[in-house]
């Protein structure tokens, strides 16, 4: 309470608005506190206007997003984001481990860099399905790593939507199944 009075005084002295986040006493809600000088109809400064906007939901979403980003980063699966043109926009540690490319050398490059010859032909079709909001379910593919090793991965591509629900790209999750495929080949 007291600090709000102090802020109000500061606003009256400087005529500069103050904006900051404040927590409710129980810590369950977050508010955006704004204090502005109040001008009377004949343009005299006559106190302050204090508004509180409940931003608890926004804070909750920010925390959830940060948590999700941490999960993506620590996943052993390759999780690769790309836009609707197929250009790579995000690349996690799992992707570096599986494909051998550092994030800095792959961002901005086309996904087709990771595809074998015949898959490049299917890729436009996949992008078309994504634009329609369809997932491209688990298909097993061979990939070539940066150092030219052949690996088997199980790949799933899902549409990514923005907050308004518009499809803005895709998320490709690849799991290295080379060991398991190698075992199958040996059994066969």
């Amino acid at each position: 309470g007291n600090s709000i009075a102090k802020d109000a005084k500061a606003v009256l002295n400087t005529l500069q608005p103050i904006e900051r986040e404040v927590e409710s006493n129980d810590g369950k809600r977050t508010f955006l506190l704004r204090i502005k000088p109040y001008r009377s109809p004949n343009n005299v400064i006559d106190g302050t206007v204090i508004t509180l906007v409940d931003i608890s939901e926004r804070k909750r979403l920010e925390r959830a997003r940060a948590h999700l980003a941490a999960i993506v980063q620590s996943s052993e699966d390759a999780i690769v984001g790309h836009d609707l043109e197929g250009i790579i926009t995000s690349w996690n540690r799992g992707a570096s481990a599986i494909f051998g490319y550092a994030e800095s050398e792959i961002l901005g490059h086309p996904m087709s860099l990771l595809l074998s010859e015949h898959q490049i032909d299917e890729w436009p079709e996949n992008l078309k399905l994504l634009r329609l909001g369809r997932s491209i379910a688990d298909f097993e593919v061979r990939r070539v790593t940066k150092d030219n090793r052949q690996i088997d991965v199980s790949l799933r591509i899902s549409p990514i939507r923005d907050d308004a629900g518009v499809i803005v790209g895709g998320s490709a999750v690849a799991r290295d199944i080379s060991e398991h495929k190698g075992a199958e080949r040996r059994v066969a």
Side-chain angles (χ1 to χ4, degrees), residues 79-94:
I79 304 176
V80 182
H82 61 82
D83 66 16
L84 288 175
E85 307 302 310
I87 300 298
I88 296 171
T89 54
S90 66
W91 185 261
N92 73 338
R93 284 200 283 266

Side-chain angles (χ1 to χ4, degrees), residues 57-153:
E57 184 59 15
R58 187 166 87 196
K59 295 300 280 187
R60 194 188 61 72
L61 283 173
E62 278 171 15
R63 280 193 291 271
R65 280 195 174 144
H67 186 67
L68 209 56
I71 291 171
V72 166
Q73 249 331 320
S74 61
S75 170
E76 288 180 14
D77 292 339
I79 304 176
V80 182
H82 61 82
D83 66 16
L84 288 175
E85 307 302 310
I87 300 298
I88 296 171
T89 54
S90 66
W91 185 261
N92 73 338
R93 284 200 283 266
S96 294
I98 290 175
F99 295 113
Y101 293 95
E103 184 185 36
S104 56
E105 53 188 353
I106 197 105
L107 287 186
H109 288 278
M111 283 284 284
S112 53
L113 195 66
L114 306 172
L115 306 178
S116 67
E117 298 307 313
H118 72 94
Q119 288 157 340
I120 290 180
D121 303 336
E122 302 160 12
W123 186 235
E125 194 53 42
N126 287 349
L127 286 175
K128 207 180 293 172
L129 288 172
L130 269 186
R131 285 194 181 96
L132 297 172
R134 302 253 272 289
S135 285
I136 297 132
D138 299 307
F139 51 103
E140 292 187 3
V141 290
R142 302 214 77 185
R143 286 284 181 270
V144 180
T145 62
K146 184 182 175 185
D147 55 8
N148 270 326
R149 273 181 313 114
Q150 289 258 337
I151 55 169
D152 295 286
V153 297

Side-chain angles (χ1 to χ4, degrees), residues 149-168:
R149 273 181 313 114
Q150 289 258 337
I151 55 169
D152 295 286
V153 297
S154 154
L155 188 64
R156 163 176 286 260
I157 304 175
S158 312
I160 296 179
R161 296 171 186 273
D162 66 11
D163 292 341
V166 177
I167 296 166
V168 291

